[in-house]
Amino acid sequence: KASSGAKDKEAPQVAPFYWGIKDVQYADAHRSKTWKKSMLKKVQEHVRLPHFMDPQNQRNFETTPEFWFAAGGAGAKAHMDTHVQATVSIQLAGTKRWRLSLMDNRTTAFLAMIYQDGDIYDRMDVWKPDFHITLQPGHALFFPPGTIHETLNVGDAESCTASVTFQFNSPMAVKMYRDFLPRVRRTADIHEAWPLLRTWASLRSKVDKKGLPYAEAKAQAMSASGVGAAFEKRDLDKDGFLSKSELEQAFPTDYFDYLGFHDLDEDGRVAREEFAEVFGLWAGTMKQVIEETPKKHQKLQVKDMEGEFNIEDLPGKLQKQLKADAFAKEEKLASAGKADSAAASAEL
């Protein structure tokens, strides 16, 4: 029963036991020496995909199992995972309380993690979760990427909760990524999604990774050059729309992601104007993100997840400084905003 170190009195005060058996598949993953591939194989033999889920998720369920065990009062501190897929947690035994909320809106770009285990308890503002959910054995909870989540065994001291979690690709949470694109692109904890945003927004075409002004990006998307040419190439019948079949021909394995990302009115096709709007959102946000980042670190914004480079591997001292500087900038912007509001009120 190791202490969790959580400073929030509502948070779990005892750490859970984690059996990340999925990690035996990766040579560079952190794992116990007692974990064996034969154990993962045994788990895989008993995995059954729920009938209502896309069959292509079977492989995800076989390769992503993680087991969590917690005594009374134990649980995982609030955190956000870095993976880009949605998660399902299935309660096997005991009673577990979940507290969840989406990542916060940001007013400047972050290049360092801010939602690691328990980080949110140390903020000046008390964390106010959007959802409080209790799971009993046989219950399952689905939640999208970018979700801050915390768990707690609410049973007695002698109880033990057990659960298993899986990540899955279909469907991808593309509408969430589009609707919250500015905060996703400013939150380093979900940086693995940054290349996906560019790929979806550009229809997998070559674009300026530093973005463009919103209006300029929209104009390019409506033109016959740049991303506009990419749209026209995929619009086989030249009717100004990308149909499901046209997208499937262009992107056979993940066409539904492109459709969901751009189909603003959800009519099952992508109008040229919808494509221009969404590309403009990505390009305009990207330009702002670059401008918000100190000049000497701007290259990190475009290099991340390219080849072997990963901002999670930056030196700890640099990560700490990047986080402190970004929070200081947000505080300064908030103070300036309050001063502007006060001045405006005084003039009324």
Side-chain angles (χ1 to χ4, degrees):
K1 291 188 175 182
S3 171
S4 71
K7 298 179 181 179
D8 186 327
K9 65 179 182 179
E10 294 294 321
Q13 299 303 309
V14 180
F17 174 78
Y18 171 69
W19 189 42
I21 192 60
K22 68 175 185 179
D23 289 338
V24 299
Q25 302 166 99
Y26 313 108
D28 59 345
H30 174 73
R31 63 185 186 275
S32 169
K33 293 181 179 179
T34 63
W35 298 355
K36 308 296 181 183
K37 288 186 178 181
S38 59
M39 296 177 178
L40 175 60
K41 184 178 180 180
K42 181 64 69 174
V43 171
Q44 292 171 338
E45 290 172 354
H46 290 81
V47 166
R48 298 293 182 270
L49 186 73
H51 69 87
F52 54 83
M53 294 188 70
D54 190 321
Q56 66 179 297
N57 288 318
Q58 179 67 38
R59 180 60 179 165
N60 297 139
F61 269 51
E62 292 174 354
T63 57
T64 64
E66 301 170 283
F67 290 83
W68 299 83
F69 304 90
K77 292 185 289 185
H79 66 283
M80 181 167 54
D81 300 318
T82 59
H83 53 69
V84 301
Q85 306 96 333
T87 296
V88 56
S89 178
I90 302 172
Q91 193 68 18
L92 304 175
T95 303
K96 179 185 288 186
R97 183 200 72 188
W98 288 74
R99 297 200 297 170
L100 311 96
S101 62
L102 191 63
M103 68 190 111
D104 297 320
N105 189 24
R106 306 249 63 94
T107 55
T108 195
F110 280 72
L111 276 168
M113 306 291 194
I114 57 175
Y115 292 119
Q116 293 180 306
D117 286 353
D119 281 354
I120 202 165
Y121 306 138
D122 297 329
R123 309 277 158 77
M124 292 181 63
D125 296 329
V126 175
W127 180 43
K128 298 178 180 179
D130 296 317
F131 302 99
H132 296 72
I133 299 171
T134 300
L135 298 187
Q136 302 286 351
H139 291 173
L141 174 65
F142 291 79
F143 57 92
T147 300
I148 305 162
H149 52 284
E150 170 202 273
T151 64
L152 177 70
N153 176 355
V154 293
D156 58 39
E158 301 303 315
S159 66
C160 178
T161 60
S163 61
V164 58
T165 64
F166 305 93
Q167 283 78 54
F168 58 94
N169 288 327
S170 182
M172 284 290 281
V174 288
K175 294 179 183 178
M176 184 282 291
Y177 281 124
R178 181 193 69 211
D179 292 345
F180 295 98
L181 192 151
R183 70 179 69 182
V184 171
R185 196 53 192 78
R186 290 181 170 91
T187 305
D189 302 73
I190 198 167
H191 72 106
E192 292 181 16
W194 294 353
L196 284 174
L197 299 179
R198 182 176 72 244
T199 298
W200 291 329
S202 67
L203 297 179
R204 206 181 289 173
S205 62
K206 187 176 181 180
V207 292
D208 188 338
K209 295 178 182 179
K210 294 184 178 181
L212 294 167
Y214 169 74
E216 184 179 334
K218 284 191 67 175
Q220 184 188 122
M222 295 298 294
S223 74
S225 62
V227 294
F231 184 96
E232 293 182 355
K233 178 181 179 181
R234 291 158 177 79
D235 182 15
L236 302 178
D237 60 8
K238 307 305 178 186
D239 66 348
F241 294 88
L242 296 182
S243 66
K244 178 181 174 181
S245 62
E246 288 172 332
L247 287 168
E248 190 170 8
Q249 288 187 59
F251 315 109
T253 61
D254 53 357
Y255 69 93
F256 199 73
D257 297 342
Y258 291 87
L259 177 61
F261 195 68
H262 288 282
D263 184 14
L264 297 175
D265 62 7
E266 300 186 7
D267 66 348
R269 59 182 184 171
V270 179
R272 184 72 174 262
E273 293 76 13
E274 290 176 317
F275 169 65
E277 179 63 34
V278 175
F279 178 71
L281 170 65
W282 172 80
T285 298
M286 195 64 230
K287 181 173 175 56
Q288 291 176 347
V289 163
I290 294 297
E291 292 172 347
E292 293 162 3
T293 303
K295 194 169 184 179
K296 63 180 179 180
H297 299 310
Q298 288 179 357
K299 63 181 180 181
L300 302 179
Q301 291 283 6
V302 295
K303 284 180 57 182
D304 184 44
M305 302 302 292
E306 298 284 345
E308 297 297 318
F309 182 76
N310 187 318
I311 58 173
E312 295 180 53
D313 297 330
L314 292 172
K317 185 176 181 180
L318 176 57
Q319 292 189 44
K320 186 176 181 179
Q321 188 60 54
L322 288 169
K323 180 163 66 172
D325 290 347
F327 273 127
K329 185 175 180 179
E330 280 201 328
E331 187 175 347
K332 184 176 180 180
L333 289 170
S335 297
K338 291 177 181 178
D340 291 342
S341 296
S345 298
E347 291 176 354
L348 294 177

